[in-house]
Amino acid sequence: MHRSSMTSINWRAIAMSITSGVFIPIFQRRIRSARQRIAKEGSVVDQAPAAQGQFQRIRAVQFGGEAGRRGTGPLELAPTDPVRRRPGCEQSERRRSNGFFTPKTMRFNLFRRQRAAAACDVEVNETAASEAMHVESGGFVTYALLLDAQKRVKGFKLAWRMALPHGEPNALESLRAILSCAATNLNPPKTGWGLGRLALFFDMTVDGLLLNELQALPPENVVLCMGLDDLMDVGIRSTLLHLRTQGYGFMLCGAEVLPEDLELCSIITYVDVGDGHPELVTNIRREQPLGTPMIQPIATHMATWQDFDACAARRLDVFVQGREAIVPTMEAGAILQPESMLIVRLMQTIRRNEDLRTIEAALKHDPALTYRLLRHINSPGIGIGVQIQSLRHAVAMFGYSPLFRWLSVLLATSNKGCAAFMTKKAIIRGRFVELMGQGIVPRDEADNLFVAGMFSLIDRLLGVSLEEVLEKVQLSESVQLAILKREGVYGPFIALAESCEVGGSEAAHLSESLFMSAEKVNAAHLSALAWAQDVAPVESAC
């Protein structure tokens, strides 16, 4: 055919002739060529067959992810991949014929129309199926705090809240997910374990003892919580002994007495004593066999802070979680302490962008505060990489905005009567909110996110009302709106952080409203736990 005649081709006629099979061999060759090209370089292949006068682009790339699952993602041209359809979707199309696409299969894959895609979602390889399964079984990390008698954090009990409210969660897959998430974010290969001496507690199953993900965590910092029936299983005794030799701890749950098996008692390191009833605690301590390592009782149920005080009097560590993990506000009429007032005045001068000499003059009245500020700036969590010698040095390098953020941390730790764990909780929330906002809010607003997250607990830290604090500290309107009403630009981030702290029941809805994946939320959450350990020296004030 001459070039001149090529330009006068009736594309509508060609498209109609495709359905009759005239051009099938041509498309078969194109498909084979595209498949070979994908195998060599994984590139995007654009072809220009036309249907009803309109060109359609065929993108032959790696299939997978949420877009593919919805039928809107790129298409895989390989005819040998298994076709998967959603339950209830009738398979009216024949998949292939003699290794090649039939006209109907070609129509479905090459000229897919949006109506057909919406009616019947197609997944064309096992990778997509596995990714879809991963999305459906995803969830959010929640935690309970392990506190000693002085209300200092000694560890966390991590749990997995399924993202989808319906359906029974698979215990083994949930356990695999939480272990993998913890290992990835708390024990990365480059930096190593991020929680120092703190321990992680996990509810463990018999099958979970063999998960490879368990070995990705440092044994000396991991405690596995199991019931007596599972621990008494003779079939797993060798596994328990091996894990105990490695350094993993075991917590006996749901038992009122210790087992008589001396070998099993040598494996157990903690025992759940429920609400810490005095008689139960006394019996557990009296029944501990001689010659075995000390078994430490832990109270796992706390209704009020009076219950905590009772457990602390019996030298018990206590798990606190949910809304009970926040101390109540102090009595009315409380006022800010002198150090808190000094920090507030410093924050006001920074907001007014006053001269640095004014700030330095104010700090001279409290050398201890200057020392704490410089110690915080030089802590590993800040990650400056340069030893800061003075306030002027810090401002010269970073400006006023980070200084306001650093002072907000010192303000949170300035109340000598606050509970130590509340300081850590506020720092964790501030960092959690900041990390979730990365990539969503502008980079120069990261400090606002951190301050908003921390100040959402400032009334519990300082013992005064939020309104009183906000009268003295000049914050932007968007930050105040987030703190007071959980509204505005930053409000949803704080609400999501709070949900993850109290069980994660609203986490899926809130993260979806922010167009944020569960993976990003979990990574931000656990990274915040680790980051709070690096700025721990500021807690010494509480």
Side-chain angles (χ1 to χ4, degrees), residues 17 20 30 45 53 184 463 469:
S17 64
S20 64
R30 289 185 177 181
V45 180
T184 300
V469 176

Side-chain angles (χ1 to χ4, degrees), residues 149-334:
Q150 287 74 42
K151 297 181 181 178
R152 295 174 299 197
V153 178
K154 296 187 65 177
F156 302 93
K157 185 174 183 180
L158 300 186
W160 190 254
R161 176 84 182 200
M162 297 298 295
L164 299 178
H166 56 275
E168 290 294 330
N170 183 300
L172 185 61
E173 290 305 317
S174 296
L175 182 57
R176 187 194 305 273
I178 188 65
L179 290 173
S180 176
C181 189
T184 300
N185 296 285
L186 296 177
N187 194 35
K190 291 185 178 180
T191 58
W193 182 241
L195 292 183
R197 293 179 296 177
L198 300 185
L200 287 183
F201 291 72
F202 299 94
D203 285 325
M204 181 56 58
T205 64
V206 172
D207 294 335
L209 296 173
L210 304 178
L211 290 176
N212 292 331
E213 288 79 4
L214 180 60
Q215 297 295 323
L217 292 168
E220 62 276 7
N221 296 97
V222 175
V223 179
L224 310 177
C225 307
M226 303 182 69
L228 182 59
D229 291 340
D230 288 341
L231 291 173
M232 291 289 291
D233 189 345
V234 179
I236 65 168
R237 180 59 59 86
S238 59
T239 302
L240 296 177
L241 290 171
H242 174 68
L243 291 173
R244 187 69 192 100
T245 302
Q246 285 184 291
Y248 292 96
F250 286 89
M251 181 173 174
L252 172 62
C253 301
E256 296 184 357
V257 295
L258 292 176
E260 298 180 358
D261 188 335
L262 294 181
E263 185 179 55
L264 182 56
C265 285
S266 68
I267 295 173
I268 298 172
T269 52
Y270 300 90
V271 60
D272 177 3
V273 293
D275 59 1
H277 191 277
E279 184 177 352
L280 176 58
V281 174
T282 301
N283 292 338
I284 291 293
R285 287 172 172 165
R286 184 176 59 243
E287 294 171 359
Q288 182 168 337
L290 296 175
T292 59
M294 178 65 67
I295 299 177
Q296 181 176 349
I298 295 180
T300 56
H301 302 292
M302 186 194 79
T304 65
W305 283 103
Q306 287 74 20
D307 295 338
F308 179 91
D309 294 335
C311 290
R314 303 182 196 109
R315 296 177 290 111
L316 294 177
D317 293 343
V318 183
F319 275 119
V320 296
Q321 59 185 338
R323 302 193 184 279
E324 291 76 21
I326 299 179
V327 296
T329 55
M330 297 185 181
E331 61 276 3

Side-chain angles (χ1 to χ4, degrees), residues 241-435:
L241 290 171
H242 174 68
L243 291 173
R244 187 69 192 100
T245 302
Q246 285 184 291
Y248 292 96
F250 286 89
M251 181 173 174
L252 172 62
C253 301
E256 296 184 357
V257 295
L258 292 176
E260 298 180 358
D261 188 335
L262 294 181
E263 185 179 55
L264 182 56
C265 285
S266 68
I267 295 173
I268 298 172
T269 52
Y270 300 90
V271 60
D272 177 3
V273 293
D275 59 1
H277 191 277
E279 184 177 352
L280 176 58
V281 174
T282 301
N283 292 338
I284 291 293
R285 287 172 172 165
R286 184 176 59 243
E287 294 171 359
Q288 182 168 337
L290 296 175
T292 59
M294 178 65 67
I295 299 177
Q296 181 176 349
I298 295 180
T300 56
H301 302 292
M302 186 194 79
T304 65
W305 283 103
Q306 287 74 20
D307 295 338
F308 179 91
D309 294 335
C311 290
R314 303 182 196 109
R315 296 177 290 111
L316 294 177
D317 293 343
V318 183
F319 275 119
V320 296
Q321 59 185 338
R323 302 193 184 279
E324 291 76 21
I326 299 179
V327 296
T329 55
M330 297 185 181
E331 61 276 3
I335 59 174
L336 291 176
Q337 296 187 6
E339 183 176 312
S340 301
M341 287 299 301
L342 174 59
I343 297 174
V344 167
R345 287 197 296 271
L346 289 172
M347 297 175 76
Q348 289 174 336
T349 58
I350 292 174
R351 279 301 185 196
R352 293 193 293 265
N353 201 29
E354 294 186 10
D355 188 78
L356 178 60
R357 288 173 293 184
T358 305
I359 302 176
E360 289 180 324
L363 280 173
K364 287 180 181 179
H365 295 289
D366 193 339
L369 179 60
T370 305
Y371 169 75
R372 289 179 56 217
L373 177 60
L374 293 177
R375 185 175 62 177
H376 172 61
I377 295 173
N378 290 310
S379 64
I382 305 302
I384 292 176
V386 177
Q387 187 71 19
I388 301 299
Q389 303 294 336
S390 66
L391 180 63
R392 183 173 293 274
H393 184 193
V395 173
M397 291 190 65
F398 309 108
Y400 274 2
S401 182
L403 182 58
F404 188 89
R405 169 199 180 113
W406 299 331
L407 285 173
S408 69
V409 175
L410 295 187
L411 179 62
T413 64
S414 60
N415 183 10
K416 303 299 188 296
C418 74
F421 83 94
M422 281 301 299
T423 301
K424 186 179 292 291
K425 192 177 186 71
I427 293 174
I428 291 172
R429 182 183 291 186
R431 182 62 171 173
F432 185 15
V433 170
E434 178 187 11
L435 291 177

Side-chain angles (χ1 to χ4, degrees), residues 42-57:
S43 61
V44 177
V45 180
D46 291 327
Q47 298 180 4
Q52 298 181 357
Q54 295 182 357
F55 289 97
Q56 297 191 2
R57 172 170 294 177

Side-chain angles (χ1 to χ4, degrees), residues 8-21:
S8 61
I9 290 179
N10 187 331
W11 287 104
R12 181 181 295 273
I14 291 177
M16 295 176 61
S17 64
I18 288 176
T19 59
S20 64

